Amino acid sequence: MPMPQRQCPACRMTDNVEPLGYYAALRTEFLANPSRIVVWRRDRAITAEKFMETASSMAGWLADQGFSAGDRLGLAMHDNLHSIQLAMACWMIDVEPMILDHRLGTDSLAFWRSQQKLRAVISRQVRVCAFSGVVLMPDPASLPKFELLTMPSASPANRVGDFIASSGVSGAPKVKEKTQVGMLTAVRAMMDDQSRGFWGAALSAISVAFPGARYIWWRNLLAGEPIHSIDLLFSTDTLDEALLDPRIQECTLPPNLIRALAAKAEAAASPLPRYPHLKKLQSIGGPARAEDKLRAYHSLTPSYLMTYSSTETGVISRIGGHDLLTNPDSCGRVLLGLDVDIADNTGATCPPDTVGRIRLRRPAASGKQGEITEIFPGDLGWFDDAGFLYIAARGEGIICRHGVNFSAALLESRILAMDSIRDAAVIRVSGREDTEDAILLALDIGTAPMDDIRRELRKTLNAHERPDGLWLLGPEDLTVGGKIKRSQISAWWQSAPEKFQAF
């Protein structure tokens, strides 16, 4: 479907005018359209005016705490709406906000404070406020009204407006700072880029600590499309009920949640697809299985699509529609304008149907002509003759056990095919002998009895595939984007193997 062109008044700038950045553009848009509904929270409509009133009250509270221009603050809120409003409050007083995962423990909060030189972390969770440097914020509804401040006069265009942090699933998190101007440029590109597909009124179900979820808010707030926000602790029933709202046009979810929704839809005595009004249901957070893609297409919406991306690269490929039906095992074709190939161990480009490292090449940030930056998402893959991208293994996904080499990704796929398994990760760790690998199996089994799971796994797995340790997943074991924290679970195996269950 063609994407209608949208442009906010604050974005209509000539080449000779330097934009002040995202906050200036958003402020202009909100002040020009105060009665426009920008967020639906359950059945409560929040207008641009009310949104800014709450943000302004938060800004007054921050100022009363002694925070001022040039400070950096971590925002560890457990509510998407309040996280976004608090970020705006920071911009109002020229403070640089870094939105953090609200589930972080005190050690992780200390890491981010030290690494990013955060003056403090703002939270509404009492459990972390005993930690030095964490400030407990009152209920925003209880804050006194604070008059809207004028635009900061220091350097709003060059002030850092956002911090893009990688998930840390495959290594230490990396952070990229975005100035207010950089944010506005990125958001306008999202609004104008036809290759991203349809976008409109969006359901927000993933924490905005995940950059992809956050930029849906930044885009829709500026463009005039409402966000429908639900609590982050939700059941499949709650998510399903929200998606049945005919006002919702798009939603982005990790594969495990889409898989659960498809199972619910197929079990319900109602027509399929279950969400025919959705114009985009996007799967992110790792490649989905072919059968899950087809189930989502037929059971949820034919507007389902899966993207292959990383924080460092952005979206690399996308698959949906006819391509999905004919090539469901693939991740689709690379987006127009991107230079993606498969590299061998020497850096040479592999021919079709040859497995190697997926590589994105783009002009270097230095701007020097001819300089190229190479980015590796960390996965092994190949292209077929028609240009479809396939994932062979996730990162270092080849396991060697008892002289047998096999793919962790393929083993995961077989385990996920078990009805009682809601999510799973096969994690390779160093074994006791140099030539052998050990396997950790992280599982989300819901309420299924563990003894039943063990019996089913013993029927499914060959001898060389059986895990050395079982880890039952909890909320703290997932990133805000829904990915399993493989490196964290690997670290627990090294430091506290007694925490794992025996197979």
Side-chain angles (χ1 to χ4, degrees), residues 396-455:
E396 297 179 353
I398 304 302
I399 297 174
C400 178
R401 292 282 297 275
H402 311 309
V404 178
N405 292 325
F406 58 101
S407 165
L410 294 178
L411 180 55
E412 278 182 13
S413 181
R414 286 167 47 208
I415 293 170
L416 285 168
M418 296 165 53
D419 291 338
S420 51
I421 302 295
R422 301 199 304 190
D423 205 2
V426 173
I427 303 169
R428 180 184 67 81
V429 292
S430 298
R432 292 188 176 90
E433 299 179 17
D434 292 342
T435 57
E436 297 292 331
D437 294 325
I439 298 176
L440 308 179
L441 180 54
L443 296 172
D444 177 357
I445 62 173
T447 58
M450 192 62 225
D451 287 343
D452 292 351
I453 297 295
R454 282 193 178 89
R455 279 194 292 271

Side-chain angles (χ1 to χ4, degrees), residues 70-135:
D71 286 338
R72 287 187 172 185
L73 294 178
L75 314 184
M77 307 291 278
H78 59 282
D79 177 277
N80 279 348
L81 173 60
H82 291 158
S83 294
I84 295 295
Q85 289 174 317
L86 188 54
M88 180 184 278
C90 289
W91 298 335
M92 289 177 175
I93 59 173
D94 210 12
V95 163
E96 299 177 347
M98 182 177 193
I99 296 180
L100 301 170
D101 186 347
H102 68 281
R103 302 167 301 177
L104 292 176
T106 53
D107 288 347
S108 295
L109 290 174
F111 166 80
W112 286 115
R113 277 202 73 203
S114 173
Q115 187 197 62
Q116 296 301 319
K117 298 180 173 55
L118 304 177
R119 183 173 170 193
V121 174
I122 310 299
S123 176
R124 295 209 57 230
Q125 300 179 88
V126 176
R127 69 172 181 85
V128 298
C129 287
F131 172 63
S132 174
V134 181
V135 179

Side-chain angles (χ1 to χ4, degrees), residues 153 203 303 451 465:
S153 58
L203 179 66
S303 297
D451 287 343
E465 296 170 335

Side-chain angles (χ1 to χ4, degrees), residues 74-359:
L75 314 184
M77 307 291 278
H78 59 282
D79 177 277
N80 279 348
L81 173 60
H82 291 158
S83 294
I84 295 295
Q85 289 174 317
L86 188 54
M88 180 184 278
C90 289
W91 298 335
M92 289 177 175
I93 59 173
D94 210 12
V95 163
E96 299 177 347
M98 182 177 193
I99 296 180
L100 301 170
D101 186 347
H102 68 281
R103 302 167 301 177
L104 292 176
T106 53
D107 288 347
S108 295
L109 290 174
F111 166 80
W112 286 115
R113 277 202 73 203
S114 173
Q115 187 197 62
Q116 296 301 319
K117 298 180 173 55
L118 304 177
R119 183 173 170 193
V121 174
I122 310 299
S123 176
R124 295 209 57 230
Q125 300 179 88
V126 176
R127 69 172 181 85
V128 298
C129 287
F131 172 63
S132 174
V134 181
V135 179
L136 181 65
M137 183 180 186
D139 182 353
S142 69
L143 296 175
K145 188 173 181 179
F146 192 78
E147 292 301 319
L148 180 63
L149 296 168
T150 59
M151 275 291 296
S153 58
S155 55
N158 295 321
R159 185 72 74 196
V160 175
D162 199 5
F163 297 79
I164 309 299
S166 65
S167 65
V169 171
S170 57
K174 305 177 185 67
V175 177
K176 181 179 180 180
E177 298 177 358
K178 274 195 177 293
T179 64
Q180 287 284 345
V181 168
M183 282 187 67
L184 181 58
T185 300
V187 171
R188 290 175 66 184
M190 289 178 68
M191 292 165 60
D192 297 337
D193 186 356
Q194 300 294 310
S195 69
R196 291 178 180 269
F198 177 87
W199 59 271
L203 179 66
S204 173
I206 298 177
S207 170
V208 293
F210 176 59
R214 185 160 69 249
Y215 271 79
I216 290 174
W217 279 77
W218 299 146
R219 178 200 67 192
N220 279 30
L221 290 176
L222 187 62
E225 292 287 355
I227 290 280
H228 295 252
S229 183
I230 63 174
D231 294 338
L232 292 177
L233 294 175
F234 56 79
S235 64
T236 304
D237 289 343
T238 301
L239 181 58
D240 173 64
E241 182 181 358
L243 285 169
L244 287 170
D245 186 336
R247 296 171 299 175
I248 305 291
Q249 295 177 291
E250 69 161 314
C251 184
T252 297
L253 297 168
N256 62 312
L257 292 181
I258 292 177
R259 187 183 309 124
L261 289 171
K264 182 175 180 62
E266 291 160 0
S270 57
L272 298 177
R274 190 162 177 82
Y275 317 121
H277 55 280
L278 282 184
K279 297 180 180 178
K280 180 164 72 174
L281 176 60
Q282 181 171 243
S283 174
I284 60 166
R289 300 181 302 170
E291 55 267 38
D292 289 338
K293 298 175 200 173
L294 293 171
R295 288 177 71 193
Y297 179 95
H298 292 293
S299 300
L300 302 180
T301 172
S303 297
Y304 166 85
L305 60 86
M306 190 206 78
T307 58
Y308 172 64
S309 63
S310 72
T311 303
E312 290 80 7
T313 63
V315 176
I316 288 178
S317 67
R318 173 182 285 110
I319 191 166
H322 179 265
D323 282 349
L324 187 150
L325 295 176
T326 56
N327 298 271
D329 287 315
S330 88
C331 294
R333 292 186 172 95
V334 171
L335 268 57
L336 292 175
L338 297 184
D339 180 8
V340 178
D341 68 351
I342 305 298
D344 65 17
N345 291 334
T346 69
T349 297
C350 296
D353 297 321
T354 303
V355 174
R357 293 194 298 164
I358 299 172
R359 173 173 62 187

